[in-house]
Amino acid sequence: MTARGEFSSRFGFLMAASGSAIGLGNVWGFPTNAASNGGAAFVLVYLLLAFGLAHPALMAELIIGRHARSNAVRALQGLATGPGTRRLGTVVGLAGIVTVSLILSFYAIIGGWMLAWALNAPASLLGLTSVSSWLRADSVTRNALFDVFFMGLTIVIVLAGVRQGIEKWGRRLMPSLLGILLMLIVYVLTLEGAREGLAAYLVPDFSKALEPGLIVAALGQAFFSLSLGVGTMLIYGSYLSPRENLSTVGWMLAGLDTSFAFLAGLLVLPAMYVALANGVEIYDASGALAAGPGLIVSVLPALFDTMGLAGQFVAFAFFVLMSIAALTSSISMLEVPVAYVVESFGMTRRRATALIGGLVSLVSLTIVFNFGLLFDLVVTLATEYSQPLLSLFFVIFVAWIWHRNGVLEELQKGHAGVENTLFWRIWPVYMRFICPLAILAVYVQLIFL
Ligand code: TRP
């Protein structure tokens, strides 16, 4: 059995874990959800749910992972108190592995689009018009090739291991991501129309905040954004040094993720209204604001086209940003099944990564070839139904199945005196009753809505 990986420092962990959390969900999902759900009203509900419900679920995964120093299946089995809870642990862990593999298989398709659009900018600058129009057209061939390309990049990084792959690329890519985002925000805010976009984002429309779909959307967004329910944060927590203060790290991670989502809104919404000012259609047939694929691969490129030469540079920066955001997230998804196969079947990391990477690529290609039938279905099943439900079980494991002193001992490792903090006073009641009931309440809404 090979030694387990460990992140080299708190900074290394934060770059890797925020790399997982900050992804297409932040740059794409959050701003468009905000735009179509009452702007700042959505942002407020989101903040409440992200810190009230998603953050505790994040803590549950980090604590279990660091305690067990193992993948989700083994970790949950280890907390079990009898054959029943052991079986439950196995089922939850395995369901997480299946869910995250499905998430990766649709995520890689979008990641591939981002790569294609990033290459399109230099192609059109160099005057390669036929290459450029091929890169821009939504063809099955292009989507399949770039899907495999994106999976290839993900596989290469995960092959290199925790420190040499995941942490190294997190350290390199996350600061660049922030740099590119800030540059783009500053630039877009100088353009005509940006103010209306800021208003749509920051002025709350509370009538929309009360619509029933909003809370469900905000909760799904929060759990997706923090990569919860599938053992991603659990496995990253298992690579965290026992000397680290888990509660600090958890707050920092939730804070980084939320701040980044908020910043991305300062780019995407103003950009949409700049597009409107430039004559680009930003509403769809039903009169709703464009969201999802329509926004990123049609509204924004149309905007960049109206901006002449500068537009191609901005387009390049924007799609490189999206590609980086997607890649540091996809590696965290692939790590979940890979760690499981390495630890539970004794396979080498190389073989496991190649094998699972290959399998996920096949599933992903199946979705590419049956896009209309499968894409939305897989997204909805994995992110709306599976993720919150599995998160609920992680919380239940920590609060009900694991002995309370176990949690405390784990927290004390990096934080002497944690038992006297406000955090620990609130934690037990909060984790046992409030958090699971609230997740359940939202989940019931989702099913019966
Ligand atoms: N959080 C990432 C984003 O916002 C996506 C992600 C990475 C993810 N790992 C995950 C989502 C695990 C769900 C589960 O884009």
Side-chain angles (χ1 to χ4, degrees), residues 34 37-45 198-209:
N37 289 297
F42 177 86
V43 178
L44 288 178
V45 175
L198 274 187
Y201 184 34
L202 298 177
V203 178
D205 175 354
F206 283 111
S207 66
K208 288 224 177 95

Side-chain angles (χ1 to χ4, degrees), residues 386-400:
S386 183
Q387 262 192 293
L389 189 63
L390 292 174
S391 287
L392 177 66
F393 281 108
F394 280 101
V395 172
I396 290 176
F397 259 91
V398 159
W400 288 96

Side-chain angles (χ1 to χ4, degrees), residues 2 31 119 124 130 146 189 216 224 316 359 427:
T2 43
L119 288 181
S124 70
S130 60
F146 277 90
L189 287 184
V216 174
F224 185 79
F316 184 64
L359 280 176
W427 168 278

Side-chain angles (χ1 to χ4, degrees), residues 271-322:
M272 285 181 82
Y273 284 80
V274 172
L276 183 66
N278 290 3
V280 177
E281 192 51 71
I282 67 168
Y283 299 98
D284 64 17
S286 63
L289 214 49
L295 168 68
I296 303 287
V297 299
S298 73
V299 172
L300 293 182
L303 163 68
F304 302 140
D305 285 342
T306 62
M307 289 160 54
L309 189 63
Q312 291 310 316
F313 287 98
V314 176
F316 184 64
F318 178 77
F319 285 110
V320 167
L321 170 95
M322 297 296 272

Side-chain angles (χ1 to χ4, degrees), residues 87-131:
R87 215 168 302 129
L88 180 66
T90 314
V91 170
V92 171
L94 288 177
I97 290 174
V98 173
T99 302
V100 78
S101 306
L102 287 176
I103 294 179
L104 178 55
S105 60
F106 78 73
Y107 209 80
I109 301 175
I110 311 178
W113 294 344
M114 298 303 113
L115 289 173
W117 278 97
L119 288 181
N120 166 61
S124 70
L125 275 174
L126 294 173
L128 306 170
T129 21
S130 60
V131 177

Side-chain angles (χ1 to χ4, degrees), residues 20-26 100 103 107 223-228 230 232 329 332-333 387:
S20 168
I22 297 169
L24 298 171
N26 300 60
V100 78
I103 294 179
Y107 209 80
F223 277 74
F224 185 79
S225 194
L226 277 170
S227 314
L228 296 177
V230 298
T232 296
S329 296
S332 77
M333 299 178 198
Q387 262 192 293

